[in-house]
Amino acid sequence: MRYYKIVFLLFIFTLASCGKSPLLNKVGKNLSESAGGVLLSEQFRNEQLGFSINWITPPALDDLSSFEFKLERPLKNNQTLNVYIWMPDMGHGSSPVEMKQLNSTDYIFSELAFIMPGLWVLHVEILENNQVMDQWQKSITL
């Protein structure tokens, strides 16, 4: 009987040590620069190309996130966009981000899975012939 009490206590201890509930984690201060969900006055420096981001589903631990990405002008013929999220403290990212191009300047990026609380970095890159020509990043704390 004593053995069962020890196993039960270990089980309870294990459950209690799993961390904070994802339901209690919300977007941190780093997204406070947004106004109505749109990040304003952002620009790729090398390409001199402005853009805006509108979060359709904001970053959260309990749901997949998505955002609309609008360029001020189309990319050059041999250029493409690449988006990924990275957790520098843990040294890993998350599942691949899905991209849907709506027209020459508008994109929807979805399936962003912020899988644990902490600092994440959203990376948006302009690729030319699969080489990074310019990049922009934004820290997000969940």
Side-chain angles (χ1 to χ4, degrees):
M1 184 69 173
R2 185 176 187 181
Y3 176 75
Y4 292 110
K5 288 181 183 178
I6 293 172
V7 170
F8 178 74
L9 288 174
L10 287 173
F11 176 74
I12 296 299
F13 178 75
T14 302
L15 285 178
S17 67
C18 288
K20 284 192 338 189
S21 167
L23 299 175
L24 300 176
N25 293 299
K26 300 298 176 200
V27 175
K29 296 177 184 174
N30 290 333
L31 279 182
S32 64
E33 297 171 0
S34 63
V38 178
L39 296 176
L40 304 171
S41 304
E42 297 297 338
Q43 185 168 332
F44 289 106
R45 298 202 188 283
N46 295 340
E47 295 291 322
Q48 295 295 302
L49 176 59
F51 63 89
S52 65
I53 292 177
N54 181 20
W55 287 98
I56 299 166
T57 307
L61 296 172
D62 56 351
D63 198 6
L64 294 175
S65 301
S66 61
F67 64 90
E68 184 178 26
F69 188 85
K70 292 182 174 260
L71 295 167
E72 66 182 14
R73 64 171 167 75
L75 294 171
K76 297 174 186 168
N77 285 337
N78 55 350
Q79 292 182 332
T80 58
L81 289 175
N82 180 46
V83 171
Y84 65 95
I85 55 175
W86 189 257
M87 192 170 206
D89 295 340
M90 295 298 189
H92 65 74
S94 187
S95 304
V97 176
E98 290 190 21
M99 178 180 78
K100 180 179 179 183
Q101 187 169 357
L102 303 176
N103 55 47
S104 64
T105 59
D106 299 341
Y107 301 80
I108 299 285
F109 292 98
S110 61
E111 305 298 317
L112 284 87
F114 296 93
I115 57 176
M116 62 179 52
L119 174 67
W120 287 88
V121 180
L122 170 64
H123 293 265
V124 181
E125 301 173 329
I126 295 178
L127 303 177
E128 188 171 314
N129 300 320
N130 292 325
Q131 299 292 321
V132 177
M133 301 308 294
D134 207 343
Q135 63 182 335
W136 172 87
Q137 59 188 21
K138 180 71 177 165
S139 297
I140 300 169
T141 302
L142 297 178

